[in-house]
Amino acid sequence: MITWSSLSSDEKKQALARPAMANSQQLKQTVSDIIAKVETSGDEAVLDYTRTFDCPDLQSLILSQENIDALAAQVTPEVAAAIDTAFNNIKQFHEAQSPTDIALTTTPGVDCELRFTALDAVGLYIPGGSAPLPSTVLMLGVPALVAGCENKLLCTPPNKAQLIAPEIAYAARKCGIDKIFLCGGAQAIAAMALGTQTIPQVDKIFGPGNSFVTEAKQQVSQRADGAAIDMPAGPSEVLVLADALADAEFVAADLLSQAEHGPDSQAILVSDDATLIANAKAAVERQLATLSRAEIARPAMENARYILAGSIEEAIEVSNAYAPEHLIVQIEDARRYLSKIKYAGSIFLGPWSPESAGDYASGTNHVLPTYGYAKNYSSLGLLDFMRRFTIQELSADGMRNLGPAIMALANAEGLDAHEQAVALRMKKLGFGGNA
Amino acid sequence: MITWSSLSSDEKKQALARPAMANSQQLKQTVSDIIAKVETSGDEAVLDYTRTFDCPDLQSLILSQENIDALAAQVTPEVAAAIDTAFNNIKQFHEAQSPTDIALTTTPGVDCELRFTALDAVGLYIPGGSAPLPSTVLMLGVPALVAGCENKLLCTPPNKAQLIAPEIAYAARKCGIDKIFLCGGAQAIAAMALGTQTIPQVDKIFGPGNSFVTEAKQQVSQRADGAAIDMPAGPSEVLVLADALADAEFVAADLLSQAEHGPDSQAILVSDDATLIANAKAAVERQLATLSRAEIARPAMENARYILAGSIEEAIEVSNAYAPEHLIVQIEDARRYLSKIKYAGSIFLGPWSPESAGDYASGTNHVLPTYGYAKNYSSLGLLDFMRRFTIQELSADGMRNLGPAIMALANAEGLDAHEQAVALRMKKLGFGGNA
């Protein structure tokens, strides 16, 4: 347990430091090689990599519609109902984000518009690994569906049987994703960014992944012929603010929810009450013993930090300095502290709002800025699946009204062709001067 | 003049190809060295570079308030009035973009919110060079002002007299920018991204620049301790769609407005009328002779392309394939073609809407996605100066209603700590099971 007020400024920084991310030259080179190979050899390269890493017998990169349907039918009624519930909540919350086009006359005769439109083609990446992630399919697929993206494709690594988890197929079908490609890793990102014979090129790539996937997303986003990406990635993290009245078992369970994501997950408890911290630590130990993923959660909890603040206000200052991805506020009458909270990807208020709620089913998106990016990036939302462009139309009157200001500014900037484009028009409208 | 229908698919791509951008290993290394030096030596490094490149006698990186005021007072009344007019229009258009927070009950007892908030600290970069760019100050400064960003700082290279152009000081003051720092290039970007003794670290960097600035923005945006950036950069470009009724002098003037930005600027005319194209080419030659920046515009116009389409519809297909930054539509009743236009950063409709209008004063933003990025990036707008975060609050009822779905999903994903965080709460609410 760290007493915040006893720390120097440097020690405070150290107490909130995040683990360094893997971005070695070797990782960069490996990923760059994979992208180059996919660019040169297309499907053949993607198939090769997928056979090597995921499925030795893979015949085709496409998961057939028959297989999607058959897999979706295997989902248990209980899980199907849970996916349906989550889908409905996420859909409602993202539909509420639908933006309104703007049309405005800024000066008489000068009409300006801002329009929102869906991205044409989006690529959703769903990692493989030990457990299927239907929730991530929903978090990426629902906003793509609500935005109206015409082409929604999904890449995920196949299992040895050339198939994917039934839950992923079911969730993808709910989101109207009709193209599922059987590939993962940097090769999947490269394929979506550059296109292959089978996998269409997309405008933007979304979704989590390991360090290869993350590095590949960064690299393709730096290429003019590549794709945009959702946001920079980092290990997942939670900060729990708790007061003396918080339930230590709940607090411990919330810290462990974060810890089980991976050994590099960050879990931080900040409280103004030393007893709560001690009780939460003890509860963590008790609960850890019962978890199937204890071997993942334990190393993460070894890096967990327990910080004692002098007051709730100081505890919030600690949180603001950290800018957590997830911020859980288990403080009596939590909502009244909202205005003091500066940075967080998503905020969970009160004892009945565990991170699990937002991870799965409340309706908010679980793709959130981590690693301190909550200061300058947004939670994933509908707008990330759209783009904005502007329109302007000046009438002859508009030109008459605005022409002199435009000419004065163009002249001040020494751009006479800009000035001339207006002068010629003003002349045609009967205003003097030599164009 | 290129006849579109006579081209093969490869030739079509070639006809719309953009010039390769400078991103040599040497450029990358130089910029990386500059960033490293600023990181290590702070102000001293920034001062050194600025003395070397811009102002040998520079004493301080800060432009004093007295100097800002004195400079602003030197602006001629005509230019001041023009800046005021542009400021008012840009402000109106960006105020209209103010987003609305969302609060929604997705399931009884499950309240979800999406809130928008201004970025705390933004850094605006204004290039130096032959002419001052007050218009760019407005395009970056007005949305920062409207968003309510608390800290708005501006970096621009000083002249030999340790000062800046009066117009920039005047425009910056209108936008409520009180901190102006006298530095440019990669060193200015590094200073804003990492902070120095004098220059505060910002959350996001906006603005155009040369290849060093562009590369520096890319590099700092890849660092977890760096800053976000507005959008990827590329040479500026215009595509003009014109029919037989278009005024060839207007068309030529609009192509030349683009060309005078730089020798790598792209200007493309697409028309269904060969005579219009011939007349526009002749007008370009005539007008070029009168321009002070002819030596910049001429090489750009040598790379200009004049494309003859079989119909207006085909001309729009050419434009969609190119996805221009600026799209000028000088076609009779231009607005009726809007629904066919897929990609453009900003669209200028009809004969009285030259690019100059949007560059300066109509109200739309002149920072636009170029180099084909109009397909997946947005025109700069108010939302780029804000971030979104979510909040959720479940009541005990909300937990009762949603708990089973969350537990089913957590179980399907094999994440038992997630499941347990809910199970413990359900148990406390009197629902059975072993937590």
Side-chain angles (χ1 to χ4, degrees), chain A residues 125-264:
Chain A
Y125 183 76
I126 306 296
S130 49
L133 294 173
S135 63
T136 303
V137 178
L138 297 177
M139 295 300 172
L140 307 179
V142 170
L145 176 71
V146 172
C149 299
E150 229 172 275
N151 298 299
K152 302 183 286 292
L153 66 87
L154 186 155
C155 284
T156 194
N159 58 28
K160 297 278 183 289
Q162 309 184 49
L163 297 172
I164 63 172
E167 294 81 5
I168 291 186
Y170 182 89
R173 226 175 43 164
K174 291 249 1 156
C175 298
I177 295 163
D178 37 22
K179 287 181 194 150
I180 298 180
F181 296 101
L182 299 170
C183 54
Q187 55 275 15
I189 303 302
M192 290 192 279
L194 306 173
T196 69
Q197 299 86 338
T198 299
I199 303 175
Q201 187 176 30
V202 302
D203 298 313
K204 193 169 181 179
I205 296 172
F206 298 82
N210 62 20
S211 55
F212 292 90
V213 168
T214 299
E215 176 62 26
K217 283 172 67 185
Q218 291 287 357
Q219 288 192 18
V220 300
S221 76
Q222 300 300 303
R223 289 175 62 135
D225 62 349
I229 62 169
D230 44 4
M231 66 180 78
S236 192
E237 63 201 20
V238 72
L239 189 145
V240 179
L241 291 175
D243 63 6
L245 297 174
D247 185 314
E249 294 289 339
F250 293 3
V251 169
D254 292 346
L255 295 170
L256 286 166
S257 297
Q258 192 56 58
E260 76 173 341
H261 277 302
D264 59 352

Side-chain angles (χ1 to χ4, degrees), chain A residues 35-47:
Chain A
I35 294 172
K37 199 155 175 213
V38 171
E39 187 171 18
T40 316
S41 309
D43 281 349
E44 200 190 310
V46 181
L47 268 168

